[in-house]
Amino acid sequence: MTSIHAAAVPGSRSAELFARGREVLVDGVSSPSRGPLNFRPHPIFMARGAGAEIIDADGTSYVDLMLAYGALIHGHAHPELVAELQEAAGRGALFATASEVEVEVAERICAMVDCAEKVSFASTGTEAAMAALRLVRGFTGRRTIVKFEGHYHGWADAYSVSSNPLPPGAYGHPNDPIPVPDTSGVTPGALRDTLVLPWNDADRLEALLKARAGDIAAVVTEPVMANMGVIPPAEGFLQAVRELTTRYGVLLYIDETVTGFRLGAGGAQERYGVTADVTSFGKGLGAGLPVAALAGRSDIMAALSGGRILHYGTQNANPLLLSVVRRSLDLLTADDGRAFTRLDQLADRLVAGLRDGIARAGVPALVQSAGAMLQVYFLRRGHESVESIGGARDFGAHVDLDRFNRFAHLMFAEGVYLSPSPALHSVLSTVHTEAHVDRIVAAAGRAFAQLADERR
Ligand SMILES: Cc1ncc(COP(=O)(O)O)c(C=O)c1O
């Protein structure tokens, strides 16, 4: 079981692998957030997962709260999903033809998600979001989209604007937000065609739609901000976005890459009572495999018919992967969706335990959650009285990024794995138990006490 964390010790297997990895991989890893940006002195190399635990290259086991950035809704190597994958592999990996399983999975998605009348499969959340972008533009004949500060929709140019955490001044005045490219290499055209707004602010959205609705193809939103920790929508905000987009004749694209098949059978749309025109799924849909989907109203999706608006892909609806997805969705809908009730109950226990640990340690921090997604925000000096983080500007103004990173490293040493970036978040899976939650709470209690000592 959990042993003392060996990965940060010089001479550990992770240290050796990192030294080798740096010779042949950029930053020694395969995505910047996994590398030296977030991990000290180096990332922990993982070797395997089992249920709610992940085991590193030195054999140390951790309760996994990151779960592949939320993808592993049933944890690691769920026996039923492994059996399904093994059986499907014997029938062949890929046909790139029509197949029965794609019909069966699409039928399930349409039954589960209110706005999903037609489905088009892709491989990753980024890819599905790119297909959604082309669809809303092609369908409306308009080029401009509205996205919100701090929302991430994958790394395509059109969405790579004002997604990253920034110091508050960098966003400009909320009446005239400054669009900030997330990266070099974004074209001026992409920047011109993406308008940004602060989230959770229906008045500013209305002002923009009043002035520019005729140019705007869609308003694009995460239903819960999941790339600045966890920021739930303000009461009535999503309904206001729905009402305004309908009133001004603009499409509403809700990106459920994170929230789909995680916050409920019908995703965040069901949870918050809002229906998009177009939506997309990734992470939870694939249960750890690269499966994503674009879905929506059938009159809009019909625009993809015959390739008039193109969405190609050799790997679209890969039958090997979809066999697993079919079983995963059946597990989620079994017993009237009991899995989601249980996830919420476990998350309530974890959130209450973390809040209690924070209060007992006297460390200035908040916990925000939506279903089984949660994040701890440590507050900067002078910002201790802040009661909630409501958007990217609050995040930039109040959140102590370094303290969160320190917290994550203390948790690694306690045998709990989570993303060390404060902009990401923790999740639970259907195979976590009360005992796992209690272990996490006990570990976090010790970490909070240590952080309180360090702050004095
Ligand atoms: C809301 C949202 N959309 C899209 C994506 C991109 O998904 P992927 O990493 O599978 O390309 C992410 C990834 O974190 C996301 O959080």
Side-chain angles (χ1 to χ4, degrees):
M1 282 298 289
T2 310
S3 59
I4 295 296
H5 166 58
V9 177
S12 72
R13 185 97 179 101
S14 283
E16 281 166 34
L17 290 170
F18 187 55
R20 273 174 57 198
R22 286 176 97 166
E23 299 295 318
V24 287
L25 293 164
V26 179
D27 291 336
V29 290
S30 296
S31 185
S33 59
R34 302 178 196 175
L37 202 60
N38 286 324
F39 289 89
R40 324 254 183 280
H42 53 69
I44 306 172
F45 280 63
M46 293 301 176
R48 64 191 178 88
E53 304 205 0
I54 188 163
I55 297 111
D56 73 16
D58 288 291
T60 306
S61 159
Y62 308 76
V63 181
D64 192 0
L65 272 185
M66 193 182 91
L67 295 165
Y69 297 111
L72 298 169
I73 187 73
H74 300 297
H76 296 273
H78 189 288
E80 289 187 43
L81 302 187
V82 171
E84 195 67 58
L85 187 63
Q86 284 169 337
E87 202 189 309
R91 296 193 292 267
L94 180 65
F95 311 133
T97 67
S99 71
E100 184 170 348
V101 69
E102 73 193 326
V103 178
E104 292 180 340
V105 175
E107 283 169 350
R108 282 164 173 75
I109 294 173
C110 291
M112 292 168 80
V113 180
D114 205 29
C115 79
E117 295 174 351
K118 284 265 167 59
V119 174
S120 187
F121 288 105
S123 299
T124 66
T126 296
E127 216 191 316
M130 288 167 73
L133 181 72
R134 181 174 280 174
L135 174 61
V136 298
R137 285 177 166 163
F139 181 77
T140 60
R142 303 171 189 163
R143 293 289 166 265
T144 310
I145 57 160
V146 177
K147 86 173 275 284
F148 295 100
E149 292 166 351
H151 287 214
Y152 176 68
H153 304 287
W155 51 269
D157 280 11
Y159 296 122
S160 296
V161 187
S162 301
S163 313
N164 288 332
L166 295 169
Y171 293 106
H173 191 281
N175 283 345
D176 185 21
I178 299 172
V180 182
D182 299 336
T183 166
S184 295
V186 172
T187 65
L191 280 175
R192 187 196 55 225
D193 292 338
T194 300
L195 304 175
V196 291
L197 279 181
W199 198 53
N200 266 340
D201 186 339
D203 291 344
R204 288 202 167 85
L205 176 63
E206 176 160 20
L208 180 65
L209 292 181
K210 213 178 206 162
R212 306 252 334 236
D215 304 332
I216 296 170
V219 172
V220 183
T221 188
E222 292 183 49
V224 171
M225 264 179 93
N227 291 282
M228 290 270 162
V230 175
I231 304 180
E235 183 76 37
F237 175 71
L238 292 175
Q239 285 72 18
V241 176
R242 175 67 282 180
E243 193 276 314
L244 289 169
T245 45
T246 305
R247 186 172 357 135
Y248 287 96
V250 167
L251 296 179
L252 173 58
Y253 162 33
I254 298 186
D255 177 353
E256 295 237 34
T257 305
V258 172
T259 48
F261 309 101
R262 168 158 288 288
L263 289 190
Q269 294 177 63
E270 176 186 52
R271 195 174 189 102
Y272 296 105
V274 64
T275 305
D277 299 308
V278 174
T279 192
S280 62
F281 302 104
K283 304 183 189 247
L285 174 64
L289 300 175
V291 175
L294 168 68
R297 254 171 48 195
S298 53
D299 62 317
I300 302 171
M301 294 293 287
L304 298 169
S305 164
R308 282 177 301 165
I309 297 173
L310 273 184
H311 176 207
Y312 278 153
T314 305
Q315 292 286 349
N316 288 0
N318 176 311
L320 171 66
L321 309 183
L322 284 186
S323 301
V324 179
V325 170
R326 178 180 52 196
R327 179 60 69 94
S328 166
L329 296 181
D330 289 349
L331 290 174
L332 288 175
T333 48
D335 295 335
D336 267 346
R338 212 188 92 70
F340 294 108
T341 321
R342 193 177 135 62
L343 277 169
D344 279 10
Q345 286 165 350
L346 274 184
D348 287 348
R349 185 182 182 104
L350 178 53
V351 169
L354 292 172
R355 287 188 176 143
D356 185 50
I358 287 167
R360 275 191 291 112
V363 66
L366 303 169
V367 184
Q368 294 190 177
S369 67
M373 304 163 48
L374 61 125
Q375 183 60 312
V376 178
Y377 297 100
F378 293 93
L379 299 170
R380 291 171 46 199
R381 277 187 201 281
H383 298 248
E384 291 85 351
S385 58
V386 166
E387 287 180 357
S388 69
I389 302 297
R393 290 164 188 253
D394 279 359
F395 186 95
H398 308 308
V399 177
D400 185 335
L401 310 182
D402 290 341
R403 196 163 300 271
F404 183 84
N405 188 266
R406 172 89 180 115
F407 170 69
H409 284 76
L410 290 171
M411 293 295 274
F412 298 159
E414 290 278 353
V416 177
Y417 192 75
L418 70 166
S419 166
S421 162
L424 296 165
H425 60 270
S426 289
V427 291
L428 294 167
S429 76
T430 57
V431 297
H432 279 75
T433 62
E434 279 78 5
H436 288 119
V437 166
D438 294 347
R439 250 168 83 189
I440 298 163
V441 167
R446 290 186 288 271
F448 292 140
Q450 167 83 27
L451 290 171
D453 270 0
E454 290 174 10
R455 200 180 148 92
R456 274 189 258 278

